[in-house]
Amino acid sequence: MLNHPVCLCAFRPFFLLSLASGLISLFLWLGFLQGWWVLPATASGIIVWHAHELLFGFVMASLAGFILTAMPEFTRTPDVRREVFLGLAVLWVLGRITFWASGWLGIVPAAITNMGFSLGLWLYLQPRLLANPLRRQWLFSMGLAGMAGISIGFYSDVLRELYPMRWLHAGISMMMALIVITASRIAMRIVNEAIEALPTNKDDNDLPDEYRSTPPRRNLAVFCILLYTVTHFIWPQASVNGWLALAAAASIFNVLNDWHVGKALFNRWPLQFYAVYWFMAIGYILLGLQHLGMPIPASSGWHLLSIGGMSLSVFSVLCISGRTHSGHQLDERNWVNFVTLLIIIAALSRALAGWVNLPLNLLYLVSGSAWLLAFSMTLYYLAPVFIKPRPDGGKGCEEPLPMAE
C-alpha cells in the first residue's frame, strides 16, 4: 500500500481528502439550507459544524498537504516519511468522523483527534521550522502554533458548554495570516515565471527584472491581521475593532504594491493570488465598517475572507503545488479560469445575502452551487494527477524533471 502513487508525497492524500471533505460537507450544508434534509445533531449546533468542517476539515487538510511537502524544500531537510504523513492523514479522517458523530459519541473523541492532528502537525514540523539560525520560517511556526491553540481553545469552550464561534472567527483570521505568509513563497515562482515569459522588448522600461516579496510589508500585514484577531476575540463589541480591521485591509493593499509588475500580473496564476488579496482586504473593510456601526452583515465580511480568501487560495495551491510536485507542468486549459470565476461568484453571491431584495435561499443556492461545481471540476481534473504515477519518471516530490510533459 505504501508503494501506491497516492502515498508518494504528503500533498497527494491530503489534497484528495481536502476536496472530498469540502464537497461532502458543502453539499450537506446546502441541502440543509434549502430544506431538503435534516442533518444529525452535532456539538454546539449545525452552524458551528459548518464553519468547523470547512476550516479544520477542508482548509486544514490542504494546508497540511502543502506545508508537509514544501517545508523540506524551504528548510533543506529530508522529505517527510510516508508513515508520518499517512498517520496524520488517518488522524485527520478520524477527526471528521468523530466531530460529525459528536451528537452521538459526545465531544471527547472529536476533541482528542482534532486537537491531536493540529498539535501533532506543529510539533512534528517545529524542529525543522526553527532549525535555520536565521529563523526564516518562524512565521510558519507561529501560524501552525496558532491553529493548534485555536483548536485547543475551541474544544475547551465546547467541553465547558460555551458557544465556540469566537475561536472559528479567530481561525479564519489566522488562516488569512498564513495565506499572506504562504502566498509570498509561491509568488516568488509564479510571478517571476510570468515576467520571464513576457516578450523581450528593450525599449520597454516598465518591465521589472524580477518580483520580490518585501518582508516589511508582509510582516506588517501579518501583524495587523493578528492584532485585529486578538482584539476581536477579547472585546468582540469594541469599536476599536473597526479601525483595526480597516488597518488590516490597508496593510493587505500595501502588500499588493509588490505585485504591480505590469503585464505579467495578468497571467492567470499571479492574478489568482492577486484576487485572493483583494477578497481579504474587502472582507476586512466590511468587518471594519460593521464594527463602526454601518448596517453591514458581519457574515458578508467573514464569507469574503473564507470563500474568496481561503477557497480561492486553496484552489490555487492545489493547481500549482499539486501539479508541479506531481511532475506536471502548470495546467493552461480553460477549466482553470472557469473554476476561478465560479469561486468568485460563490464569494460575491454569499456576501450579498442580506443586502439585496432577493430570497436568501436563492443567494445561498447560487453560492453553494457555484462552489460545489468549482471544486467538483477541480476533483475531476486533479484527482488523476494525485492518484497516478508521475509522468516524468520521478520518484519523489520534486518539480518536473527535464523529460516531463
Side-chain angles (χ1 to χ4, degrees):
M1 177 181 177
L2 292 180
N3 294 323
H4 192 280
V6 80
C7 301
L8 192 60
C9 288
F11 72 87
R12 291 178 176 243
F14 273 112
F15 285 1
L16 288 169
L17 289 170
S18 173
L19 289 169
S21 72
L23 288 169
I24 293 171
S25 60
L26 227 298
F27 177 72
L28 293 175
W29 173 249
L30 181 61
F32 168 77
L33 292 179
Q34 299 300 315
W36 299 338
W37 48 65
V38 176
L39 293 176
T42 55
S44 298
I46 197 64
I47 295 178
V48 168
W49 169 83
H50 166 62
H52 180 277
E53 285 310 287
L54 287 180
L55 179 62
F56 288 106
F58 171 69
V59 178
M60 273 299 288
S62 62
L63 173 65
F66 170 77
I67 203 163
L68 286 168
T69 302
M71 200 48 60
E73 177 185 349
F74 294 165
T75 58
R76 298 178 182 175
T77 54
D79 288 343
V80 177
R81 291 184 294 112
R82 297 179 186 183
E83 295 84 354
V84 173
F85 67 72
L86 289 178
L88 286 169
V90 169
L91 196 58
W92 179 91
V93 170
L94 291 175
R96 309 285 61 73
I97 294 172
T98 53
F99 190 75
W100 287 34
S102 58
W104 172 54
L105 295 175
I107 196 59
V108 173
I112 293 172
T113 51
N114 282 283
M115 289 191 302
F117 172 77
S118 299
L119 193 59
L121 179 65
W122 173 61
L123 290 175
Y124 175 78
L125 289 173
Q126 178 72 356
R128 298 176 186 238
L129 292 167
L130 299 183
N132 190 308
L134 297 178
R135 296 290 191 267
R136 292 177 180 173
Q137 315 304 331
W138 70 271
L139 284 176
F140 280 108
S141 178
M142 177 192 69
L144 290 177
M147 290 306 299
I150 288 166
S151 180
I152 293 170
F154 174 89
Y155 284 99
S156 174
D157 272 10
V158 175
L159 287 167
R160 292 181 295 153
E161 299 185 352
L162 300 175
Y163 192 60
M165 186 58 76
R166 59 177 183 155
W167 292 101
L168 298 178
H169 285 153
I172 292 173
S173 277
M174 182 62 70
M175 279 295 176
M176 295 303 103
L178 280 166
I179 288 171
V180 173
I181 298 165
T182 303
S184 65
R185 291 281 189 167
I186 299 175
M188 292 295 289
R189 172 188 170 177
I190 61 172
V191 178
N192 283 319
E193 285 185 354
I195 293 172
E196 292 171 3
L198 291 173
T200 302
N201 184 354
K202 294 182 180 179
D203 296 328
D204 191 348
N205 296 322
D206 294 331
L207 294 180
D209 294 328
E210 64 177 342
Y211 159 85
R212 288 186 179 275
S213 174
T214 309
R217 286 177 172 163
R218 182 178 66 244
N219 294 341
L220 177 62
V222 171
F223 172 78
C224 289
I225 291 170
L226 295 182
L227 183 59
Y228 168 75
T229 304
V230 172
T231 56
H232 178 263
F233 182 87
I234 299 174
W235 303 291
Q237 304 303 322
S239 59
V240 70
N241 290 322
W243 301 110
L244 293 176
L246 294 176
S251 68
I252 292 168
F253 280 133
N254 185 44
V255 170
L256 287 180
N257 286 317
D258 289 334
W259 289 69
H260 296 154
V261 292
K263 297 176 183 178
L265 177 61
F266 295 95
N267 179 286
R268 67 173 63 183
W269 306 112
L271 200 57
Q272 282 182 2
F273 277 104
Y274 192 77
V276 167
Y277 280 113
W278 267 90
F279 274 119
M280 291 167 57
I282 296 174
Y284 280 118
I285 287 174
L286 295 185
L287 288 173
L289 295 178
Q290 189 270 336
H291 282 300
L292 294 175
M294 292 192 66
I296 298 173
S299 64
S300 296
W302 290 116
H303 280 93
L304 284 182
L305 295 179
S306 57
I307 301 176
M310 291 195 300
S311 293
L312 187 54
S313 63
V314 166
F315 172 68
S316 299
V317 167
L318 264 60
C319 288
I320 297 170
S321 296
R323 279 187 63 89
T324 56
H325 287 285
S326 296
H328 292 257
Q329 300 296 335
L330 293 178
D331 198 327
E332 299 298 332
R333 290 175 290 181
N334 288 331
W335 76 269
V336 175
N337 292 335
F338 184 61
V339 167
T340 302
L341 178 61
L342 285 172
I343 296 174
I344 292 172
I345 291 172
L348 294 179
S349 57
R350 181 59 185 85
L352 285 173
W355 282 38
V356 295
N357 293 322
L358 288 173
L360 283 178
N361 277 8
L362 176 60
L363 288 171
Y364 291 159
L365 183 62
V366 170
S367 178
S369 299
W371 198 97
L372 288 170
L373 179 57
F375 283 98
S376 294
M377 292 180 64
T378 304
L379 182 64
Y380 174 82
Y381 283 104
L382 290 183
V385 173
F386 303 149
I387 293 173
K388 294 180 180 180
R390 293 172 58 108
D392 59 356
K395 302 298 182 183
C397 307
E398 66 271 17
E399 295 186 0
L401 299 177
M403 296 302 295
E405 63 185 20

